Amino acid sequence: MNEWTEQIAGYFDRVPMWPLVLLAIGIVFAGIYELFTRKRRADAADEFRAAILSTLSGLYPEPTRWPKSIDMYLSARLPVMHEIIESFRPSVPQKDIPAYNNDWDNYYDFCAEVTDDKCVEAEANPSLPDPKKKFHALVSSLLRYAD
């Protein structure tokens, strides 16, 4: 064991310290950058979640105020939702971007196809897919990127 420690001590006697100091400074800066990036991502996720929840209040997470003309209601909010989605896109990990885009496309398509008649039919006939449940699933899919 002593021979091993003497070899290491001898190495440090002969090698200049400036490369090790530069390495230590690099590690410190990388750690600070990582902390800053994590904080920025967490703030963006909180803002994303709050923006969607405020835009869709009354509809998500529980449909407490489902509007009479749901197609007009959701169509009016699509530009705001699009802005929210686009502003959060840089915070989504690169590997998740295709799924994020797909989830947004599914939500957009749902907003274009949902009508009050479909909601009434689903309430009258339980075998039909419920638009409220589908809406909840689509919004949950978008919000999972903010976890």
Side-chain angles (χ1 to χ4, degrees):
M1 182 76 168
N2 277 341
E3 183 179 325
W4 184 69
T5 55
E6 288 174 12
Q7 286 178 342
I8 292 175
Y11 174 77
F12 283 110
D13 286 340
R14 294 186 195 118
V15 173
M17 293 305 281
W18 65 267
L20 297 176
V21 171
L22 284 178
L23 179 63
I25 290 171
I27 290 171
V28 167
F29 278 123
I32 291 170
Y33 178 76
E34 178 66 23
L35 290 174
F36 176 74
T37 303
R38 286 184 186 195
K39 174 70 170 139
R40 191 177 68 217
R41 165 89 167 91
D43 290 345
D46 291 343
E47 185 178 319
F48 176 72
R49 179 174 288 284
I52 286 185
L53 291 178
S54 69
T55 301
L56 301 175
S57 65
L59 299 178
Y60 186 86
E62 293 297 323
T64 56
R65 291 182 293 142
W66 196 261
K68 191 71 173 152
S69 56
I70 188 66
D71 52 343
M72 299 294 282
Y73 185 86
L74 290 176
S75 294
R77 282 158 180 72
L78 270 178
V80 174
M81 286 293 290
H82 182 71
E83 185 177 323
I84 293 168
I85 294 295
E86 288 300 319
S87 67
F88 186 64
R89 189 178 310 279
S91 299
V92 176
Q94 190 68 32
K95 64 181 175 57
D96 294 337
I97 292 283
Y100 182 72
N101 290 339
N102 189 39
D103 289 341
W104 167 246
D105 290 340
N106 291 339
Y107 176 83
Y108 188 87
D109 292 342
F110 173 82
C111 291
E113 70 185 26
V114 70
T115 62
D116 289 332
D117 295 336
K118 289 183 180 180
C119 293
V120 171
E121 288 175 19
E123 288 175 4
N125 188 357
S127 65
L128 292 175
D130 187 7
K132 292 178 183 178
K133 289 181 182 175
K134 184 175 180 181
F135 176 79
H136 187 275
L138 291 170
V139 175
S140 295
S141 294
L142 287 172
L143 287 175
R144 72 184 163 101
Y145 298 99
D147 291 336

